[in-house]
């Protein structure tokens, strides 16, 4: 039989492990609306990328406010039209150590005006350096690819390809994107649509499109948080 004190200690230990477990279960995501301030990003007519990414992030934030998810911790690199350098964004991400960061961008292509669609980029393989750092990098790439694959699958489940006739492509990053190089945590770059494509522009200029994409990102993060909880068990 437990003595009174032993019972109390046992009870406190149970409580402590409960709080430790619930603290571990939070799925932390940094949302990074691209550009801002003096850095407009791609511009075409009245549309500028920095405003589109901020409007999309604001909508995602509004969904988390309206439908709160206690298991998800969501942080933004900017919530207004301020200039935030890639270095500052990378520092925030490294300091927060999220499960995942998601950079939001809108694409533009002057040379091939027919390019269009929603694109998911994940970090490229890096097998340089010693074996320990190569293993860490490999782990980061694998986790990013896993998150990207869930985003890809749920894009089709959300019927975004049929509702908005917006094709989806997923790539390993092939051009310079500082945040993938300057951070050690899993990350994704979402290029929502091409400002330079007339078909994509018709989507971009419809407020229902922003709401649909924001809901899809919100919903995917929520689903990832429950999947990750299962993985952590
Ligand atoms: Zn951009």
């Amino acid at each position: 039989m437990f003595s009174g004190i032993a019972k109390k200690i046992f009870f406190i230990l149970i409580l402590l492990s409960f709080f430790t477990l619930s603290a571990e279960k939070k799925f932390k995501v940094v949302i990074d609306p691209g550009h801002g301030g003096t850095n407009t990003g791609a511009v075409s007519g009245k549309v500028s990328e920095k405003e589109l990414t901020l409007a999309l992030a604001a909508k995602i934030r509004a969904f988390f406010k309206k439908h709160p998810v206690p298991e998800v911790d969501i942080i933004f690199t900017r919530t207004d039209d301020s200039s935030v350098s890639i270095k500052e964004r990378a520092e925030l991400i490294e300091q927060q150590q999220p499960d995942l960061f998601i950079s939001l961008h809108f694409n533009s292509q002057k040379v091939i005006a027919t390019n269009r669609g929603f694109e998911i980029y994940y970090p490229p393989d890096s097998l340089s350096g010693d074996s320990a750092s190569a293993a860490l990098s490999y782990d980061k790439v694998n986790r990013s690819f896993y998150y990207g694959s869930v985003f890809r699958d749920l894009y089709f489940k959300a019927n975004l390809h049929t509702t908005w006739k917006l094709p989806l492509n997923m790539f390993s990053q092939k051009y310079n994107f500082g945040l993938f190089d300057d951070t050690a945590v899993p990350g994704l770059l979402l290029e929502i649509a091409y400002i330079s494509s007339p078909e994509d522009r018709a989507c971009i200029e419809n407020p229902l499109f922003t709401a649909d994409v924001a809901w899809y990102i919100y919903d995917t993060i929520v689903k990832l948080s429950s999947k990750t909880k299962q993985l952590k068990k």
Side-chain angles (χ1 to χ4, degrees):
M1 287 294 284
F2 287 119
S3 73
I5 290 175
K7 262 185 195 166
K8 268 183 197 154
I9 291 172
F10 184 66
F11 182 65
I12 289 167
L13 282 177
I14 295 271
L15 264 184
L16 277 176
S17 59
F18 174 75
F19 283 123
T20 319
L21 274 179
S22 40
E24 268 175 17
K25 276 177 192 165
K26 282 231 171 193
F27 184 68
K28 195 190 265 191
V29 178
V30 171
I31 302 263
D32 171 47
H35 311 283
T38 51
N39 180 347
T40 58
V43 178
S44 174
K46 284 182 187 164
V47 177
S48 75
E49 191 185 351
K50 69 167 187 175
E51 286 167 7
L52 294 173
T53 59
L54 189 62
L56 179 59
K59 199 79 192 153
I60 297 168
R61 204 164 76 247
F63 282 134
F64 273 104
K65 218 169 177 181
K66 202 172 172 193
H67 310 279
V69 186
E71 296 85 7
V72 176
D73 200 358
I74 196 110
I75 293 148
F76 293 82
T77 55
R78 71 178 178 101
T79 52
D80 56 24
D81 185 28
S82 47
S83 297
V84 188
S85 68
I86 290 287
K87 189 171 173 279
E88 287 167 321
R89 290 168 206 252
E91 277 168 6
L92 179 100
I93 291 166
E94 281 300 291
Q95 177 205 328
Q96 289 293 334
Q97 287 294 301
D99 293 275
L100 170 69
F101 76 83
I102 303 167
S103 279
L104 304 174
H105 286 258
F106 284 77
N107 223 331
S108 179
Q109 173 60 267
K110 287 194 186 84
V111 186
I112 313 165
T114 50
N115 269 6
R116 57 177 305 245
F118 188 105
E119 293 171 344
I120 300 172
Y121 289 88
Y122 57 95
D125 280 319
S126 164
L127 292 174
S128 55
D130 57 33
S131 62
S133 62
L136 280 175
S137 158
Y138 196 66
D139 183 56
K140 177 180 98 169
V141 172
N142 275 338
R143 284 168 184 265
S144 304
F145 178 77
Y146 160 70
Y147 291 132
S149 305
V150 175
F151 264 94
R152 180 186 55 197
D153 293 350
L154 293 184
Y155 183 88
F156 294 110
K157 282 201 176 136
N159 284 318
L160 289 173
H161 63 305
T162 48
T163 310
W164 297 100
K165 311 258 181 303
L166 196 64
L168 176 131
N169 289 295
M170 184 166 160
F171 305 102
S172 172
Q173 171 230 6
K174 54 191 174 206
Y175 56 88
N176 182 43
F177 180 58
L179 282 187
F180 283 159
D181 304 330
D182 299 343
T183 58
V185 297
L188 294 174
L189 163 61
L190 303 183
E191 294 276 4
I192 307 299
Y194 277 76
I195 294 175
S196 47
S197 147
E199 293 103 321
D200 288 15
R201 270 294 280 273
C203 299
I204 290 168
E205 284 166 6
N206 188 334
L208 291 176
F209 174 72
T210 309
D212 265 10
V213 174
W215 180 259
Y216 149 72
I217 293 172
Y218 163 87
D219 188 52
T220 306
I221 291 170
V222 174
K223 291 200 167 93
L224 276 175
S225 74
S226 59
K227 275 176 191 280
T228 310
K229 216 181 341 181
Q230 288 162 14
L231 289 176
K232 275 182 183 172
K233 266 182 191 168

